[in-house]
Amino acid sequence: MATNGKGSIIISESIEQEMLDIRRHLHQYPELSHEEYETTAYIRERLEEAGIRISVQFPLETGIIAEVGGLQGGPVIALRADIDALPILEETGLPFSSRISGKMHACGHDFHTAAILGAALLLKEKEHELPGTVRIVFQPAEEKAAGAGKVLQSGALDGVRAIYGMHNKPDLPVGTIGIRSGPLMAAADGFLVEFEGVGSHAAVPEASIDPIVAAAHLVTALQSIVSRNVSPLDSAVISVTRLNSGTAWNVIPDTAVLDGTVRSFDELVRARVTERLSEVVNGIAAAYGTKAVVRWIQGPPPVNNDAELAEAARRTAERLGISVVTPKPSLAGEDFAFYQKHIPGFFAFMGTGGSKEWHHPAFDVDERALPISASFFAGLAIAELERFVAEP
């Protein structure tokens, strides 16, 4: 790994080609959360070929932890990539489209893995000069918000000073990086509400306790939580995404079930919305004579970037000639947030261009962003190790 006169890292053609090969291979063979066995084996093979040591003391059923550096002792930092795919039928028409029907890297985790593996290859070239250890986390099950917890349980972040990660961003052009301190991505919680009433013939509604009426009122009433219980200076979203009830046009059913999601950037807002949603459900159930049960599916907390790490990332990007923008926060969730509850963390948006958003069947990334991303994270890792050595 070398630098030109402007401080940009020059990546060899062989490493650029390897990142392309890795990304395209992973794209052809996507695996869902908790099923990433072949993906893990493939990453292991590429690490072993490069002579990068694998940390067997942090076992994971899927996913893998590797290390570069540490030959001189020093601090430990971590880089993280997620490796799982989605249950989506691909419609990109790419020559390296998914060969597994109904499964697709529609969120760009193949890009993340290839770029961070590329950063590991660049760091390996400088291993004898590194004043500490860079732990590379290839994390499973991000889409289920479960993989970060498994990494934490393994002990892989014990003693780590800070962790750094990214997500591709289709609405940012290649050559751009989104850096923001504070909230970047939202807490993402799910809810399920079941109303229990009394069924009847549709022509005799007075003999029923209609759960559909209660559910319909709930859909409307939930919107008042954000407009009247959350400050206009804060942000939250409540979306009902499914409502199921009944089996026939002339029968009032016994039950109605709806579910949806709550997104927020602040833990106090998150707690307030959760509390109010349960209160509104119970109030509507009482008003219409039904019984109601609320079940919560707790997702990741907000991604909340450490201000000092964000400033360090900005310095690295500017030194490498990468255009820095302040991105709008995203209401999507990301389980990188669990790491930030444990140690300081920074999460970037890497510009990858593209006309389709995450989780779309025609989603793709501009592969020209691979060397930019790899050089950024390699450069950031070196700079942060040097900073932690100088400021213990």
Side-chain angles (χ1 to χ4, degrees), residues 9-221:
I9 292 174
I10 300 173
I11 302 178
S12 67
E13 290 185 7
S14 63
I15 289 181
E16 283 203 34
Q17 186 59 53
E18 184 159 6
M19 285 190 290
L20 277 175
D21 292 344
I22 291 167
R23 188 256 162 163
R24 293 179 179 187
H25 175 90
L26 294 174
H27 195 86
Q28 290 181 85
Y29 301 100
E31 294 180 297
L32 304 182
S33 299
H34 305 297
E35 300 175 4
E36 312 97 327
Y37 295 101
E38 293 301 320
T39 301
T40 299
Y42 178 77
I43 295 169
R44 177 185 292 274
E45 179 182 342
R46 303 313 288 252
L47 291 169
E48 290 175 343
E49 287 177 356
I52 296 173
R53 66 184 182 275
I54 295 166
S55 302
V56 295
Q57 68 267 39
F58 308 121
L60 296 170
E61 185 173 354
T62 57
I64 194 167
I65 313 292
E67 289 184 342
V68 180
L71 306 179
Q72 307 173 45
V76 181
I77 64 171
L79 303 180
R80 175 270 204 169
D82 39 12
I83 67 174
D84 55 329
L86 287 158
I88 292 175
L89 181 65
E90 182 163 355
E91 298 177 0
T92 63
L94 292 168
F96 51 90
S97 291
S98 172
R99 296 187 180 186
I100 304 175
S101 181
K103 298 180 184 180
M104 176 191 175
H105 271 294
C107 205
H109 295 185
D110 53 339
F111 172 87
H112 303 162
T113 300
I116 294 300
L117 219 165
L121 296 175
L122 293 172
L123 290 167
K124 181 64 178 177
E125 294 180 345
K126 305 280 284 186
E127 185 166 36
H128 288 276
E129 301 174 29
L130 296 178
T133 301
V134 182
R135 190 163 291 163
I136 317 293
V137 178
F138 295 99
Q139 180 211 296
E142 189 281 326
E143 295 294 351
K144 295 293 186 182
K150 291 183 178 296
V151 171
L152 288 168
Q153 290 169 13
S154 78
L157 293 193
D158 294 350
V160 173
R161 293 286 296 270
I163 186 167
Y164 309 83
M166 69 161 167
H167 207 292
N168 68 85
K169 203 66 168 69
D171 58 352
L172 294 180
V174 173
T176 300
I177 182 171
I179 295 177
R180 186 183 190 96
S181 63
L184 180 69
M185 299 183 75
D189 299 312
F191 62 86
L192 184 146
V193 180
E194 182 172 356
F195 286 101
E196 181 183 343
V198 175
S200 174
H201 195 290
V204 191
E206 70 275 15
S208 74
I209 299 176
D210 194 338
I212 294 179
V213 173
H217 277 269
L218 179 63
V219 172
T220 301

Side-chain angles (χ1 to χ4, degrees), residues 224-236 266 268-269 272-273:
S224 69
I225 296 175
V226 172
S227 66
R228 289 297 175 267
N229 299 120
V230 176
S231 167
L233 301 178
D234 293 321
S235 298
D266 181 273
L268 293 178
V269 171
R272 178 60 173 155
V273 170

Side-chain angles (χ1 to χ4, degrees), residues 154-376:
S154 78
L157 293 193
D158 294 350
V160 173
R161 293 286 296 270
I163 186 167
Y164 309 83
M166 69 161 167
H167 207 292
N168 68 85
K169 203 66 168 69
D171 58 352
L172 294 180
V174 173
T176 300
I177 182 171
I179 295 177
R180 186 183 190 96
S181 63
L184 180 69
M185 299 183 75
D189 299 312
F191 62 86
L192 184 146
V193 180
E194 182 172 356
F195 286 101
E196 181 183 343
V198 175
S200 174
H201 195 290
V204 191
E206 70 275 15
S208 74
I209 299 176
D210 194 338
I212 294 179
V213 173
H217 277 269
L218 179 63
V219 172
T220 301
L222 288 180
Q223 304 313 309
S224 69
I225 296 175
V226 172
S227 66
R228 289 297 175 267
N229 299 120
V230 176
S231 167
L233 301 178
D234 293 321
S235 298
V237 169
I238 300 176
S239 292
V240 176
T241 55
R242 184 174 67 98
L243 200 164
N244 287 341
S245 188
T247 58
W249 67 276
N250 60 350
V251 177
I252 294 173
D254 290 318
T255 61
V257 179
L258 58 82
D259 52 13
T261 185
V262 175
R263 305 295 170 111
S264 57
F265 291 105
D266 181 273
E267 290 289 7
L268 293 178
V269 171
R270 186 186 191 190
R272 178 60 173 155
V273 170
T274 300
E275 176 186 42
R276 284 296 294 139
L277 189 145
S278 294
E279 290 173 350
V280 170
V281 168
N282 291 332
I284 286 177
Y288 290 96
T290 65
K291 297 178 182 179
V293 175
V294 181
R295 298 182 179 87
W296 283 96
I297 303 96
Q298 189 173 41
V303 171
N304 198 359
N305 281 336
D306 180 272
E308 189 173 17
L309 299 187
E311 182 56 34
R314 182 180 298 275
R315 290 195 299 268
T316 293
E318 290 173 348
R319 187 179 74 252
L320 297 177
I322 304 171
S323 177
V324 177
V325 300
T326 302
K328 294 180 180 179
S330 169
L331 283 158
E334 181 31 272
D335 80 347
F336 185 88
F338 288 117
Y339 298 133
Q340 294 175 313
K341 289 289 187 180
H342 187 71
I343 60 174
F346 167 75
F347 199 71
F349 282 154
M350 298 300 303
T352 53
S355 60
K356 303 300 182 184
E357 266 294 346
W358 307 324
H359 296 208
H360 191 281
F363 170 85
D364 192 20
V365 299
D366 190 327
E367 294 175 328
R368 292 177 299 170
L370 279 170
I372 297 170
S373 303
S375 63
F376 170 75

